[in-house]
Amino acid sequence: MQRKKYNISVEATLEVLGGKWKCVILCHLTHGKKRTSELKRLMPNITQKMLTQQLRELEKDGVIDRIVYNQVPPKVEYELSEYGHSLESILTALCTWGDNHITRVYGDKSSVLEESILNE
């Protein structure tokens, strides 16, 4: 198997975190374990197929853990892995930059941000 080559390190980061939804999922998981249905409710514009795909990719990359409870009906939760917790400062920096950007472009954050625990 041939090793992948990157031009700069940020490419490796974007390979794991790239896309519209992965950082959003990770931000929600910084607040604790979530079931798929909870994540779907927190992100109403994501399709079930996309959510499932993104969760699988994040799990494959070792950023989140999938916890399966042996019960009926089946219960599955997702949480940040130990490795995933190393992304918290990056996610916080992205949120801070986004807050500043929204304020700069729109003025009032409340006019463009949905109500969410992440926006408090």
Side-chain angles (χ1 to χ4, degrees):
M1 183 179 192
Q2 189 175 355
R3 279 200 168 155
K4 184 162 189 161
K5 295 273 188 166
Y6 299 103
N7 288 315
I8 60 173
S9 298
V10 75
E11 290 179 33
T13 305
L14 291 174
E15 188 172 65
V16 175
L17 299 181
K20 181 176 180 179
W21 298 107
K22 287 182 180 178
C23 285
V24 178
I25 292 167
L26 293 172
C27 284
H28 285 296
L29 293 179
T30 63
H31 293 273
K33 295 178 189 174
K34 300 279 185 287
R35 296 180 75 167
T36 307
S37 58
E38 290 176 277
L39 289 167
K40 179 71 177 97
R41 191 173 57 255
L42 291 165
M43 299 179 291
N45 294 327
I46 192 172
T47 64
Q48 186 64 47
K49 179 182 175 185
M50 182 58 70
L51 177 58
T52 300
Q53 177 185 332
Q54 301 290 274
L55 288 169
R56 285 182 182 155
E57 289 175 14
L58 288 166
E59 182 185 12
K60 180 181 75 69
D61 288 326
V63 177
I64 64 172
D65 291 325
R66 181 175 187 261
I67 305 155
V68 180
Y69 296 91
N70 190 13
Q71 66 183 50
V72 177
K75 179 181 175 183
V76 175
E77 290 181 324
Y78 294 91
E79 68 180 352
L80 288 179
S81 66
E82 185 176 329
Y83 184 51
H85 279 287
S86 68
L87 292 167
E88 288 186 79
S89 62
I90 294 168
L91 297 169
T92 299
L94 286 170
C95 287
T96 300
W97 191 91
D99 280 344
N100 293 335
H101 176 71
I102 289 170
T103 301
R104 180 175 184 239
V105 173
Y106 301 100
D108 181 19
K109 287 191 318 184
S110 64
S111 67
V112 293
L113 279 178
E114 298 283 341
E115 284 190 33
S116 166
I117 189 170
L118 298 180
N119 296 328
E120 293 176 355

